[in-house]
């Protein structure tokens, strides 16, 4: 009994795995990939290092799971925004969803896709590339939705869907940087309102 208890000590129960991953996501979100130490992660997750490796793999594997969790959780508004019926509604939902996410006081400042890659040196190059690919996939999804809008005559023919998708992605990243710099909700709301007035639709 004693040996069995010792062997299981520190191993997260199956119902706690999601909670542990959520905690790791918040650490990465707040401190970035390289800024998050194994001690930070295991303390937040409530498990020891061996349990972390056994359940989630190494730090890189854990980070990849964390960004997937971020996409399914805090950033799920992106998927919902792309399902809006008009291009105007899509872009407004993307920008206001970003605003809501980044000004929620219960969240760390900034966006995980930006914060996560800060100060990534050469040992963390795979993580930097993973985040680049993640952002590119997000931009590609926006572009496909805009291409559909043009086919449906909801976007003017002289507006290139690829260029507009890059513009929207750049705007979203800029809002994230402004949030990390300490911009207030009121300031970011005015920024989003101004951006929406400048959109080509």
């Amino acid at each position: 009994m004693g040996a069995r208890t010792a062997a299981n000590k520190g191993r997260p129960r199956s119902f706690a795995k999601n909670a542990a991953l959520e905690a790791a996501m918040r650490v990465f979100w707040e401190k970035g990939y390289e800024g998050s130490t194994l001690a930070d992660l295991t303390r937040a997750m409530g498990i020891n290092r061996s349990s972390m490796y056994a359940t989630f793999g190494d730090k890189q594997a854990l980070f990849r799971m964390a960004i997937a969790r971020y996409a399914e959780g805090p950033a799920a508004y992106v998927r919902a925004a792309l399902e809006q019926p008009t291009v105007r509604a899509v872009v407004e939902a993307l920008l206001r969803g970003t605003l809501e996410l980044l000004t929620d006081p219960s969240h760390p400042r900034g966006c995980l896709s930006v914060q996560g890659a800060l100060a990534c040196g050469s040992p963390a190059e795979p993580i930097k590339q993973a985040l680049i690919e993640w952002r590119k996939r997000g931009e590609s999804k926006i572009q496909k939705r805009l291409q559909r809008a043009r086919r449906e005559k909801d976007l003017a023919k002289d507006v290139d869907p690829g260029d507009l998708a890059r513009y929207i992605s750049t705007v979203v990243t800029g809002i994230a940087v402004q949030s990390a710099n300490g911009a207030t909700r009121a300031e970011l709301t005015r920024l989003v309102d101004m951006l929406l007035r400048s959109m080509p639709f």
Side-chain angles (χ1 to χ4, degrees):
M1 177 83 65
R4 184 177 177 183
T5 302
N8 288 335
K9 188 176 181 181
R11 182 181 304 163
R13 297 176 181 176
S14 58
F15 70 82
K17 183 176 178 180
N18 286 338
L21 182 57
E22 184 86 11
M25 177 195 74
R26 290 185 65 84
V27 173
F28 285 129
W29 191 350
E30 182 177 356
K31 299 187 175 187
Y33 176 76
E34 286 196 335
S36 301
T37 66
L38 289 176
D40 293 330
L41 292 163
T42 54
R43 182 166 53 250
M45 296 165 79
I47 58 177
N48 60 36
R49 192 174 296 191
S50 62
S51 294
M52 188 197 86
Y53 285 126
T55 307
F56 299 101
D58 62 12
K59 184 180 173 184
Q60 285 194 17
L62 177 61
F63 184 80
R64 291 173 188 274
M65 292 181 200
I67 61 175
R69 172 72 191 95
Y70 181 81
E72 294 166 3
Y77 72 90
V78 174
R79 184 171 58 251
L82 295 177
E83 294 171 355
Q84 294 297 310
T86 66
V87 68
R88 171 80 189 191
V90 166
V91 175
E92 181 162 9
L94 283 170
L95 296 185
R96 297 208 185 279
T98 300
L99 171 66
E100 290 296 323
L101 172 67
L102 297 177
T103 58
D104 186 332
S106 69
H107 294 156
R109 280 279 186 181
C111 170
L112 178 57
S113 70
V114 176
Q115 298 292 99
L118 293 180
C120 270
S122 53
E125 185 64 23
I127 291 301
K128 181 179 178 181
Q129 291 303 316
L131 287 168
I132 289 172
E133 289 305 313
W134 183 31
R135 290 192 293 268
K136 283 183 177 179
R137 284 195 300 272
E139 185 178 305
S140 177
K141 289 176 183 177
I142 295 171
Q143 181 175 344
K144 287 177 182 176
R145 179 62 184 85
L146 295 175
Q147 288 169 337
R148 178 186 138 196
R150 193 150 86 163
R151 288 196 303 271
E152 295 172 348
K153 298 182 172 35
D154 187 35
L155 184 66
K157 287 184 178 180
D158 61 347
V159 178
D160 183 273
D163 290 343
L164 183 55
R166 276 186 290 277
Y167 176 65
I168 293 167
S169 295
T170 301
V171 163
V172 167
T173 301
I175 293 172
V177 171
Q178 287 293 320
S179 172
N181 287 348
T184 67
R185 183 185 182 90
E187 289 169 339
L188 292 177
T189 298
R190 291 196 299 273
L191 174 62
V192 167
D193 289 344
M194 182 170 64
L195 288 164
L196 287 168
R197 287 195 298 271
S198 73
M199 289 291 173
F201 41 71

